[in-house]
Amino acid sequence: EDNELEDIESLLERIEDPRLAPQSQGGVSTDSRPLLYVEHRNLNPENELKRYFGARAVLGDQRPRQRQRQYVRSMWLTAPKNTWPRYSKTGITMQLLDTRRGVQHFTFEHHREYQQVQFKFLDAVESMDPNNIVLLLQMNPYHVDSLLQLSDVCRMQEDQEMARDLIERALYSLECAFHPVFSLTSGTCRLDYRRPENRAFFLALFKHLMFLEKRGCPRTALEFCKLILSLDPEDDPLCVLLLIDFLSLRAREYTFLTRLFQEWESHRNLSQLPNFAFSVPLAYFFLSQQEERPELERSQARERAARLIQLALIMFPSVLMPLLDHCSVQPDARVASHPFFGLNAQISQSPALNQLTSLYVGRTHALWKDPAVMAWLEPHAHEVLRMVDARDALVQEAEHKRKIRYQSAPRNIYRHIILSEMKEATAALPLEVTSQPVMGFDPLPPLDSIVSYTRPERTSHPSNESTLSLFFRSLLPNFNLQGDIRHDGDDEAGAAQDLNQGVNRLMAAMRDMLANIQFQEPPREDNPEGDGDWD
């Protein structure tokens, strides 16, 4: 049985190998697909793990059990688990808004019953007690925002397995609500982050890819990153452009990163982001080291890497010294003593630029530790210092750009830094961001949100009311112990007065009855809450 499985796995790998994919008549292979095309097979982390460790090590003893497993709906984003509660419709649906220039715009919608659960969830969040969210999930096990918020609580309590499981369950709940024509892989389906109903999908995908990256599945995480970017490539609400270069390098998808840079540089100015300025030449360097490539391609990659890394060092000189420090590399005397790369380069830059450089160094420094990379970087740093001493025009131009640009960071960059939890960048966040509460289910909501339904205002009642009065008010919302009548009309006032007088008489009788009742304390139990199994 194992041998048969290995044969099937090897056959599937040969079929899925892009080098063996059939070419079109023009000789163009799979590179002709859209840049943000998402491959279905790359959304499954088990496929990546099987490439690393083999099918037998990944699947283990799951094969016999799967034959007896109940039928579950096949999903693309995550695999449903037997331990999850039985799924039933939650009240979330997806609608197609319009189609413009071959791009389809969708939105999630909350039905009335889901809105009521959402209001209860907001009450639970305001109570600052995670147990209230747990209780809500017992009754509504697939409420997405509750799953996102509780996942953050589990992660802070070091329960990574449960935190990841809750995110996967949220993705499953949202995928069950997809519109029939919504496509994850085409790269032509859009969701507007300004609509609160859509944000949970963005956030669940982002948190899921972070778990995948930590789990050692960078190729799968990159595919999810492409998916997030394809949902809103223009606004990029979670600013995954600050992350996609790192995942590309970790997954060794150097060609994708260089293609992204070539196609988007003209209209997105990717070179003005420190992560692209440094990661793209690093990708070209790695391409130049691949011996299976033709010598002409390797030499072209070396030339592009040299030109781009020098431009990066000129544009962002504050990156070099922290990068060397994180890599435990001592620079030579010339680099260490030159003021261009010195402490002044970090102090003089704006806070917004400091956040970008700190994020990049903290996230990607491990990729630069390779001795071959450092040996390649050193002569280019010396060449940049020669240009600085010669007062090259490029150096003056870059200094002018740094002063004009990076005055303040847009809100999506702050949102990305908060979600990434990179301590180097979080420490550089401005006070107006750190001083406000940030909720895991909706960090830094857009200022121009498109609200489709609003939470009803909670009526404030006098604080001097007795417990019994509050009890009756919960049963009879119009009840008024003090007999205050709103004189909107004589008939309505008279009816309200009769109702209040009747309830007052009932309360007087209740007081007499309760005065003669003695309550006995119930026996204590070791586990009053039950077994706590809320799944």
Side-chain angles (χ1 to χ4, degrees):
E1 180 183 338
D2 289 339
N3 291 335
E4 291 177 359
L5 180 68
E6 293 293 344
D7 292 340
I8 294 174
E9 290 292 333
S10 61
L11 180 61
L12 289 175
E13 287 181 2
R14 290 187 61 193
I15 293 174
E16 294 175 343
D17 191 342
R19 291 173 297 181
L20 303 177
Q23 294 185 347
S24 62
Q25 294 180 354
V28 181
S29 185
T30 54
D31 287 339
S32 62
R33 293 178 302 190
L35 179 67
L36 298 181
Y37 176 83
V38 175
E39 296 184 67
H40 174 206
R41 64 189 177 95
N42 287 329
L43 292 175
N44 187 352
E46 283 193 358
N47 291 337
E48 183 172 6
L49 292 173
K50 282 188 283 189
R51 286 198 294 270
Y52 297 151
F53 307 110
R56 193 176 306 170
V58 175
L59 295 177
D61 58 349
Q62 294 180 21
R63 290 188 299 276
R65 224 179 293 160
Q66 285 180 350
R67 291 175 178 172
Q68 305 169 359
R69 184 177 177 183
Q70 300 178 10
Y71 172 77
V72 293
R73 182 178 175 182
S74 178
M75 311 301 284
W76 284 27
L77 295 178
T78 184
K81 300 179 181 177
N82 291 329
T83 56
W84 289 357
R86 182 179 297 275
Y87 178 81
S88 60
K89 290 187 177 181
T90 59
I92 301 181
T93 58
M94 179 185 278
Q95 299 296 328
L96 174 62
L97 296 178
D98 61 3
T99 302
R100 299 192 298 268
R101 299 178 182 176
V103 176
Q104 297 169 312
H105 296 262
F106 295 85
T107 184
F108 285 99
E109 290 185 349
H110 293 172
H111 292 181
R112 182 178 297 275
E113 61 269 21
Y114 193 90
Q115 293 179 19
Q116 298 303 318
V117 179
Q118 187 73 9
F119 299 150
K120 294 178 183 178
F121 164 73
L122 296 175
D123 292 340
V125 170
E126 290 179 357
S127 71
M128 304 297 289
D129 186 356
N131 292 321
N132 292 332
I133 302 178
V134 174
L135 293 173
L136 183 64
L137 276 174
Q138 286 181 339
M139 301 299 296
N140 308 275
Y142 287 95
H143 181 253
V144 178
D145 283 352
S146 295
L147 293 168
L148 295 179
Q149 190 71 23
L150 193 60
S151 174
D152 284 351
V153 175
C154 293
R155 193 167 42 79
M156 287 186 287
Q157 295 177 349
E158 303 298 328
D159 190 350
Q160 301 292 333
E161 189 66 28
M162 177 58 73
R164 188 177 70 192
D165 187 80
L166 293 171
I167 293 298
E168 291 179 0
R169 201 198 301 182
L171 284 175
Y172 176 73
S173 177
L174 290 166
E175 188 173 358
C176 287
F178 280 178
H179 192 278
V181 299
F182 181 80
S183 172
L184 290 170
T185 59
S186 66
T188 59
C189 295
R190 303 286 185 264
L191 288 174
D192 193 341
Y193 194 81
R194 294 176 299 169
R195 297 180 180 269
E197 297 89 340
N198 294 337
R199 293 172 199 162
F201 189 49
F202 284 88
L203 296 170
L205 289 172
F206 189 92
K207 293 173 186 287
H208 185 56
L209 80 84
M210 296 300 288
F211 281 121
L212 288 171
E213 193 273 327
K214 293 177 182 177
R215 191 181 171 188
C217 300
R219 182 65 186 86
T220 311
L222 173 62
E223 211 67 16
F224 274 91
C225 193
K226 289 162 60 178
L227 172 57
I228 297 175
L229 187 58
S230 71
L231 295 176
D232 192 352
E234 295 301 322
D235 295 329
D236 191 11
L238 300 187
C239 213
V240 292
L241 281 176
L242 297 179
L243 174 65
I244 198 168
D245 62 297
F246 168 67
L247 296 176
S248 300
L249 292 173
R250 276 214 59 198
R252 300 182 179 180
E253 292 290 326
Y254 310 127
T255 304
F256 168 76
L257 179 57
T258 56
R259 181 188 173 192
L260 174 65
F261 181 75
Q262 292 170 2
E263 293 189 13
W264 284 26
E265 167 64 11
S266 59
H267 66 282
R268 296 295 288 270
N269 288 326
L270 297 183
S271 60
Q272 301 307 300
L273 294 173
N275 58 308
F276 272 94
F278 282 88
S279 291
V280 172
L282 185 60
Y284 275 120
F285 169 74
F286 286 135
L287 286 174
S288 70
Q289 302 299 302
Q290 294 179 349
E291 297 182 355
E292 66 273 14
R293 291 185 173 274
E295 180 57 34
L296 179 60
E297 288 187 15
R298 294 174 60 188
S299 63
Q300 290 176 345
R302 277 194 296 269
E303 293 175 2
R304 291 175 180 172
R307 184 179 75 255
L308 292 175
I309 192 61
Q310 291 177 15
L311 292 176
L313 291 170
I314 291 173
M315 187 66 200
F316 306 105
S318 61
V319 171
L320 181 62
M321 299 306 288
L323 184 62
L324 296 178
D325 184 56
H326 276 72
C327 295
S328 302
V329 173
Q330 184 67 32
D332 57 33
R334 185 186 178 196
V335 173
S337 60
H338 202 286
F340 185 73
F341 291 128
L343 187 61
N344 185 57
Q346 302 172 49
I347 296 176
S348 60
Q349 69 182 2
S350 66
L353 183 55
N354 186 39
Q355 292 153 15
L356 293 175
T357 56
S358 300
L359 181 69
Y360 179 73
V361 172
R363 175 175 281 157
T364 60
H365 63 86
L367 300 172
W368 293 81
K369 285 187 175 182
D370 188 349
V373 174
M374 284 296 166
W376 163 72
L377 179 62
E378 182 179 6
H380 296 301
H382 290 161
E383 175 63 20
V384 168
L385 291 182
R386 186 195 64 77
M387 296 172 66
V388 171
D389 294 337
R391 298 184 178 277
D392 193 287
L394 283 176
V395 179
Q396 307 295 328
E397 183 182 352
E399 183 179 359
H400 180 67
K401 288 181 180 179
R402 283 197 303 273
K403 290 181 179 179
I404 295 179
R405 301 173 181 177
Y406 315 106
Q407 295 300 317
S408 62
R411 199 170 178 84
N412 61 339
I413 289 182
Y414 293 148
R415 197 178 294 127
H416 176 91
I417 293 174
I418 291 172
L419 289 171
S420 300
E421 296 182 348
M422 195 68 58
K423 60 181 181 180
E424 292 87 351
T426 306
L429 285 172
L431 184 61
E432 62 266 19
V433 175
T434 57
S435 60
Q436 58 180 297
V438 176
M439 298 300 176
F441 69 94
D442 191 8
L444 295 183
L447 301 177
D448 56 347
S449 297
I450 303 175
V451 179
S452 58
Y453 67 94
T454 56
R455 184 182 179 188
E457 293 186 6
R458 304 166 69 185
T459 55
S460 58
H461 303 302
S463 58
N464 58 352
E465 291 189 53
S466 64
T467 304
L468 201 58
S469 174
L470 292 174
F471 168 71
F472 275 97
R473 186 183 292 281
S474 67
L475 299 178
L476 302 169
N478 294 326
F479 170 72
N480 187 353
L481 179 62
Q482 287 75 20
D484 296 334
I485 308 299
R486 281 176 28 182
H487 299 285
D488 295 338
D490 295 338
D491 294 339
E492 294 179 3
Q497 189 169 7
D498 291 341
L499 176 63
N500 280 344
Q501 288 176 355
V503 176
N504 284 334
R505 288 194 297 268
L506 175 62
M507 285 193 63
M510 288 283 290
R511 286 195 190 96
D512 294 338
M513 182 181 69
L514 293 175
N516 297 322
I517 295 179
Q518 293 181 350
F519 292 94
Q520 185 176 3
E521 184 176 357
R524 295 174 62 106
E525 295 180 359
D526 294 335
N527 189 12
E529 296 295 331
D531 58 4
D533 186 8
W534 52 272
D535 280 340

